Amino acid sequence: SRPILDMSYSRHFLDFQGSSIPSSMKKLVVTKLSQNFREAVTLQQDSPVPLPGDGDLLVRNRFVGINASDINYSAGRYDASVKPPFDIGFEGVGDVVALGLSASAHYSVGQAVAYVKAGSFAEYTVVPARQAVPLPSVKPEFLTLMVSGATAYLSLKELGDLSEGKKVLVTAAAGGTGQFAVQLAKKAKCHVIGTCSSDEKGGFLKSIGCDRTINYKTENVESVLRKDYPEGVDVVYESVGGKMFDLALNALAIKGRLIVIGFIAGYQNPTGLQPVKAELLPAKLLKKSASIRGFFLNHYLSDYKMALQHLLKMYEGGDLVCEVDFGDMSPEGKFTGLESVFRAVDYMYMGKNIGKIVVELPHSVNSKL
């Protein structure tokens, strides 16, 4: 019993399992700007389920991905002009449950899709059909590729200049994007060094091909790099910032390249950034003919679909491990339901995850089946 303006759409507004789409849903909304995610974000219980326009899909989210930058978004760091309240969450995988007329030329009710778009921390999200990625099935592994996999693939392809025998250092190597940087560098026949915070993570890294793991809780990263790699490393895939950035910069080889894809160490600070010792940066770069490049996925969207298709093919061919962490080992157990997004963000910032953190949204529609 929903008001549908154009009755030609009406047959699309049926849930594919035979139950009608509810009129209200739960979603997470940023209600105040803060780097403290729990302070910034509110769980709204009865938001209206949005209606898809002519070129849109209504996706019932089944899995949503947690990203370090969720905190940057809730702190208002990406776009200072956006004022609360606004929706949050960057990526989801789910089923198409309704769609507009022109979108129905390419999609149908019941189809599995993934997408990258703000507003995924909700039971239902409207996604423009042109931004959706059709999938063979709804699997959380596909979600790992949308932001994390694509970031690793495009940054290394565009900025890494990888070739056989190069030494590649990946920081936070067992995390959501690190796992892909390790595997893609190995596929390019590089020697890969990964930093991590536990022996369990080190075991995972070895299982995906990492040649040398450094547990920074029990080993001195600087000493290990100086002793084992006296000539330095050719490429650094860096997502930690702060002291780790300084270590990585000092470890660069002649003509080495440092790719900055994030600086998670600073995201929860009120100021956002931990200072790095950059006063000597020009001299350090000059001495080694080295370079630092930043990488932000939004600036490479023209290559995004190509990257994703390549990664999907690798995964389906068994050439890529897409590790998912549902928080089964966290104190309160698996991340299920939107209310657990808060725990999942805390879990990531405590450095507990192996692979990509994913929250499952259980089926909340009253199915007639």
Side-chain angles (χ1 to χ4, degrees):
S1 59
R2 303 207 42 199
I4 297 157
L5 301 179
D6 178 349
M7 289 311 290
S8 62
Y9 285 31
S10 61
R11 67 190 178 84
H12 295 297
F13 281 91
L14 282 178
D15 182 283
F16 72 95
Q17 291 195 331
S19 57
S20 59
I21 297 163
S23 56
S24 65
M25 66 172 185
K26 293 180 186 172
K27 71 172 179 175
L28 295 184
V29 177
V30 176
T31 47
K32 91 177 241 208
L33 298 182
S34 169
Q35 76 287 343
N36 180 326
F37 192 82
R38 287 178 181 271
E39 279 183 15
V41 178
T42 305
L43 175 62
Q44 294 188 349
Q45 298 282 354
D46 54 356
S47 295
V49 172
L51 286 171
D54 181 56
D56 297 332
L57 312 174
L58 180 64
V59 178
R60 181 175 61 222
N61 294 314
R62 298 267 296 283
F63 300 102
V64 294
I66 304 293
N67 291 284
S69 43
D70 289 328
I71 279 191
N72 285 336
Y73 202 59
S74 68
R77 291 183 186 135
Y78 280 161
D79 185 352
S81 68
V82 178
K83 300 286 181 272
F86 55 85
D87 296 347
I88 190 165
F90 291 127
E91 54 185 342
V93 166
D95 312 293
V96 175
V97 291
L99 65 171
L101 208 55
S102 63
S104 68
H106 302 287
Y107 289 91
S108 57
V109 163
Q111 195 158 356
V113 293
Y115 64 89
V116 176
K117 177 184 179 286
S120 70
F121 292 165
E123 291 178 315
Y124 294 83
T125 303
V126 165
V127 179
R130 60 189 161 72
Q131 288 179 22
V133 177
L135 297 175
S137 60
V138 174
K139 282 172 76 171
E141 285 78 9
F142 292 127
L143 197 52
T144 67
L145 302 174
M146 300 300 294
V147 171
S148 301
T151 295
Y153 177 83
L154 286 169
S155 62
L156 290 173
K157 179 175 179 288
E158 297 292 325
L159 311 177
D161 193 22
L162 301 184
S163 58
E164 188 170 352
K166 292 268 177 83
K167 297 179 193 70
V168 178
L169 170 65
V170 181
T171 64
T177 76
Q179 65 170 330
F180 295 112
V182 167
Q183 294 178 78
L184 293 167
K186 281 307 295 176
K187 298 231 177 293
K189 300 189 171 146
C190 297
H191 176 94
V192 182
I193 310 127
T195 70
C196 61
S197 60
S198 72
D199 292 341
E200 189 192 359
K201 290 185 179 191
F204 165 68
L205 288 173
K206 288 199 174 82
S207 78
I208 58 171
C210 203
D211 297 287
R212 173 67 160 99
T213 61
I214 308 174
N215 177 349
Y216 62 80
K217 296 275 177 78
T218 58
E219 295 181 272
N220 182 303
V221 178
E222 195 169 15
S223 311
V224 171
L225 290 173
R226 198 181 292 127
K227 177 173 161 293
D228 292 1
Y229 304 95
E231 300 287 300
V233 296
D234 302 297
V235 179
V236 182
Y237 181 89
E238 216 296 274
S239 62
V240 177
K243 289 177 184 156
M244 189 63 83
F245 174 89
D246 289 325
L247 285 179
L249 177 65
N250 292 337
L252 282 177
I254 303 293
K255 297 184 183 174
R257 286 177 300 288
L258 193 156
I259 304 169
V260 177
I261 64 119
F263 34 91
I264 191 172
Y267 293 172
Q268 283 188 310
N269 295 355
T271 52
L273 267 173
Q274 286 190 337
V276 292
K277 294 175 181 157
E279 300 93 337
L280 300 172
L281 187 61
K284 285 180 177 177
L285 295 177
L286 179 66
K287 195 168 85 173
K288 294 177 175 177
S289 294
S291 63
I292 298 175
R293 296 285 298 270
F295 178 89
F296 188 47
L297 185 60
N298 289 13
H299 299 147
Y300 289 84
L301 292 181
S302 57
D303 297 319
Y304 179 76
K305 282 253 162 114
M306 171 275 297
L308 208 54
Q309 280 163 357
H310 184 80
L311 291 165
L312 282 166
K313 194 183 286 182
M314 284 177 74
Y315 170 66
E316 291 183 309
D319 292 329
L320 199 62
V321 172
C322 297
E323 189 70 17
V324 172
D325 192 333
F326 277 120
D328 294 294
M329 307 306 289
S330 67
E332 293 170 59
K334 186 176 173 179
F335 302 133
T336 306
L338 286 171
E339 41 289 321
S340 70
V341 167
F342 298 98
R343 282 200 299 120
V345 169
D346 289 343
Y347 180 75
M348 174 171 47
Y349 277 90
M350 288 188 287
K352 301 290 190 194
N353 59 300
I354 295 180
K356 173 87 180 180
I357 301 176
V358 172
V359 174
E360 182 171 6
L361 305 187
H363 189 242
S364 60
V365 175
N366 302 319
S367 177
K368 289 173 183 164
L369 297 180

